[in-house]
């Protein structure tokens, strides 16, 4: 979620009734993995790991994605216009959403890809033509689902958009995306704010609501940003008010494991089932230790 997206969400989302309060559950502990940078300029929009275990962070307002090693040292920067989600592809390349800004209305965004192991990675356009794309997720067949202001787009491994698949999920004002088993989970803020939606990969018209998240402020709806699904199928969602919310998709039960600062995205740490990383609006990357 870019800073501009916050303003747009307020403009497009209808006023919703108060959502159920998010309960508190086993608290997580956060530490700084990468320190904050310059205000706004170093806004960290999204993050993800490549196959070599390097961390990549989308610096939205710097128009680049940055590579960090295990010690948190910056080792490379690749130019990408208003980057969003960072996802490793089944082909070993790194896929990065671009155009996560209102300018994509007149200059559409899309997805670029590059070899993350190269000393000087060279991005190429994989697919384009999207309005404010933000989140992304691959399914086991190599299809890429891109969440954006106009809905969710399915892109085949050959870079061709499946227009028929996307029609039932148009207009969702989607943000984050994650795949588990045969389901796509997205965060959506088009009405009401803070909605988690489940979309069957084989039948997108049969989408359903998993949960509507609320802020700690009098139960008002929160802005649901990015999300991930852990191996057990549990969702972790970042919100504008600074919550990291754990959601059980079986019954929609939600609880906040962390109440910190506005977090923009969350990623699993390879080989660690008890740790997550989260990007933030002030540019810091948080290492989050989950209670077990």
């Amino acid at each position: 979620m870019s800073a501009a997206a916050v303003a747009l969400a307020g403009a497009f989302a209808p006023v919703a009734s108060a959502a159920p309060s998010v309960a508190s559950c086993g608290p997580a502990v956060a530490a700084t993995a990468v320190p904050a940078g310059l205000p706004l300029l170093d806004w960290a929009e999204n993050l993800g790991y490549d196959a070599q275990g390097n961390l990549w962070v989308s610096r939205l307002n710097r128009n680049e994605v940055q590579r960090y090693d295990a010690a948190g040292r910056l080792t490379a920067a690749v130019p990408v216009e208003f980057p969003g989600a960072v996802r490793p592809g089944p082909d070993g390349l790194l896929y990065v959403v671009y155009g996560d800004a209102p300018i994509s209305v007149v200059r559409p965004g899309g997805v670029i890809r590059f070899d993350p192991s190269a000393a000087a990675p060279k991005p190429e356009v994989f697919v384009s033509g999207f309005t404010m794309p933000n989140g992304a997720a691959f399914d086991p067949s190599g299809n890429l689902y891109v969440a954006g202001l106009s809905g969710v787009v399915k892109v085949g491994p050959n870079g061709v958009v499946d227009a028929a698949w996307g029609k039932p999920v148009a207009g969702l004002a989607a943000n984050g995306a994650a795949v588990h088993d045969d389901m796509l989970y997205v965060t959506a803020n088009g009405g009401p704010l803070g909605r988690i939606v489940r979309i069957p990969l084989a039948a997108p018209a049969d989408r359903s609501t998993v949960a509507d998240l609320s802020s700690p402020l009098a139960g008002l709806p929160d802005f649901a940003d990015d999300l991930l699904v852990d191996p057990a199928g549990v969702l972790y969602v970042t919100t504008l008010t600074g919550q990291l919310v754990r959601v059980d998709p079986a019954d929609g039960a939600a609880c906040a494991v962390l109440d910190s600062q506005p977090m923009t995205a969350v990623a699993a740490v390879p080989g660690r089932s008890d740790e997550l990383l989260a990007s933030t609006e002030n540019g810091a990357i948080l290492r989050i230790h989950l209670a077990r």
Side-chain angles (χ1 to χ4, degrees):
M1 172 202 62
S2 66
V6 176
L8 280 173
F12 284 100
V15 176
S17 59
S21 296
V22 172
S24 179
C25 53
V29 177
T32 301
V34 176
L38 297 175
L40 279 182
L41 182 61
D42 283 306
W43 177 298
E45 177 61 21
N46 210 288
L47 73 174
Y49 284 91
D50 62 25
Q52 291 74 41
N54 295 302
L55 175 66
W56 290 83
V57 178
S58 291
R59 299 293 183 183
L60 183 79
N61 297 322
R62 284 189 181 273
N63 290 302
E64 65 183 26
V65 286
Q66 298 177 342
R67 184 177 65 198
Y68 294 84
D69 63 16
R73 293 184 293 257
L74 179 64
T75 60
V78 178
V80 180
E81 185 176 49
F82 300 114
V86 182
R87 301 292 180 262
D91 53 6
L93 300 179
L94 200 67
Y95 288 71
V96 183
V97 170
Y98 73 89
D100 186 14
I103 195 173
S104 67
V105 174
V106 294
R107 191 165 72 232
V111 181
I112 60 95
R113 62 184 179 181
F114 56 83
D115 179 359
S117 64
K122 300 185 182 303
E124 63 175 15
V125 174
F126 173 61
V127 64
S128 63
F130 305 156
T131 302
M132 275 190 77
N134 187 301
F138 281 98
D139 70 15
S141 298
N143 298 300
L144 179 63
Y145 300 86
V146 182
L149 187 63
S150 57
V152 184
V153 180
K154 178 182 179 181
V155 185
N158 57 358
V160 175
V161 172
D162 185 339
W165 188 96
K167 284 183 180 179
V169 289
L172 267 181
N175 206 294
V179 169
H180 183 75
D181 290 339
D182 297 322
M183 296 290 175
L184 172 68
Y185 295 91
V186 300
T187 52
N189 296 287
L193 294 177
R195 175 154 288 180
I196 313 302
V197 178
R198 175 171 38 222
I199 303 170
L201 296 179
D206 295 336
R207 74 178 194 249
S208 59
T209 298
V210 175
D212 290 323
L213 304 186
S214 61
S215 78
L217 307 173
L220 294 175
D222 206 344
F223 187 105
D225 204 330
D226 196 41
L227 80 167
L228 68 77
V229 187
D230 74 8
V234 174
L235 309 177
Y236 287 89
V237 186
T238 57
T239 78
L240 179 64
T241 62
Q243 297 184 104
L244 178 64
V245 182
R246 184 183 189 274
V247 181
D248 184 346
D251 60 8
C255 62
V257 301
L258 186 66
D259 188 358
S260 175
Q261 57 181 297
M263 290 172 278
T264 54
V266 58
V269 177
R272 295 298 302 265
S273 62
D274 61 339
E275 284 189 2
L276 303 174
L277 287 189
S279 50
T280 68
E281 292 183 7
N282 73 8
I285 306 301
L286 304 179
R287 184 175 298 275
I288 300 169
H289 297 267
L290 300 172
R292 293 297 186 188

